Amino acid sequence: EVRIFAGGALHYRTDAAIPLVSYSNVDPSLLQADTVRHGGVEIPYWPCFLDDGQRLKFPVVALEILQYRPQAVLCYGDGSPVQALLAGRVPSVLFPSHSAAPVGPADRYVSLWDRATLDARVAEGDWPQTVADRAVFGAAGVRYPTPARSVDRAELVPEAELILAIVGTRIAGEIRGDFATRLARFLAERPGVHLLTLGVADRQRVLGEELLPVADQVHCRGYATNLADLLTGCDIALNPDRQGAGTGSAIAMAAGCPVVSLNRGDTATLLAPSDLSADLDAYFGRLARLVDDADYRAEASGRMAERVEAVLGFVPAMQRLVATVEDLAAPGSASGAGSGR
């Protein structure tokens, strides 16, 4: 038996704004629902509070979970007060929502990094050994959308010989500074290469001062429900130096659009170490090779499509997660589980 204790809104859609509440993207219909239907199964949930500002939200949700007497709890997102209140009372598995080292308590930690990379981060002193000791690998499955149809480059930017894509809703603030200056220089040296941003339609905000000199090569589209389709018409996806955007990069990889990324941030957890760049010099060197060498670009496209499925494949990941939960819930396990439901 599974229950979801959300303590508030469960579902977010970037195209579902609530009237008169401009800062919210919550789908309000789900706040009144009693269950979530997934895979033909109705899962009940308890949204006790409708906003995060109510101080009793966390202790009440924690109490409801304890009264349910679960054998294990999956905590999605790190650092919640509920996560801390449950520590030592019920076994927990932490599903992080980003690639940084977790700070909240958990008996098991679902690592977004592969074992070799996580061990290297521990050796470099970036991560504590205690986290690595509790890590579970291969359980971070995601059902990312895949293309329903292929889009021609000419449908997106007719005059482009090659399209670079950047995906995200915070692009205007993420492609600034040295990265944007170097990107503008890169585009200026290659007039047939165009940049298409997907997620922010405000072109002036995206251009800023840095990209203004190559404005004719920059094109902007807002939020799109067919993102996977659009990325099939792009040649290379760029990931700026940012936290987040892992889902957008996964969609790009699955669509056959190779990704360029630094060796940090959520996207870096998806790529093989050999495909990551240590600094902007390496980043733009890798980009230049992808742009100039069509054979290398095609090889990277196929390799990254296979890589994202290997890292995020949903069915094997859920099998690994189920095994982890069963181990925690087994009588006499090291976590002290075995009682309750």
Side-chain angles (χ1 to χ4, degrees), residues 27-150:
D27 183 346
S29 65
L30 292 182
L31 295 177
Q32 309 304 322
D34 297 318
T35 61
V36 172
R37 187 173 183 82
H38 181 75
V41 178
E42 294 283 349
I43 303 176
Y45 72 88
W46 277 255
C48 318
F49 294 90
L50 300 187
D51 84 80
D52 288 335
Q54 301 185 46
R55 63 184 178 85
L56 293 180
K57 169 184 174 179
F58 302 113
V60 169
V61 173
L63 180 60
E64 286 193 345
I65 292 173
L66 292 173
Q67 289 175 337
Y68 175 55
R69 298 177 62 239
Q71 288 175 290
V73 174
L74 304 181
C75 299
Y76 184 79
D78 183 35
S80 166
V82 175
Q83 179 186 349
L85 290 167
L86 295 177
R89 294 181 170 90
V90 59
S92 63
V93 180
L94 171 62
F95 251 93
S97 57
H98 52 70
S99 59
V103 296
D107 296 287
R108 299 289 187 274
Y109 160 73
V110 175
S111 177
L112 302 181
W113 301 97
D114 60 30
R115 184 183 297 273
T117 304
L118 186 57
D119 287 345
R121 290 181 175 273
V122 171
E124 293 165 1
D126 294 336
W127 284 57
Q129 182 65 52
T130 53
V131 170
D133 291 342
R134 292 180 281 122
V136 176
F137 300 96
V142 175
R143 277 188 168 147
Y144 49 84
T146 54
R149 73 179 186 95
S150 294

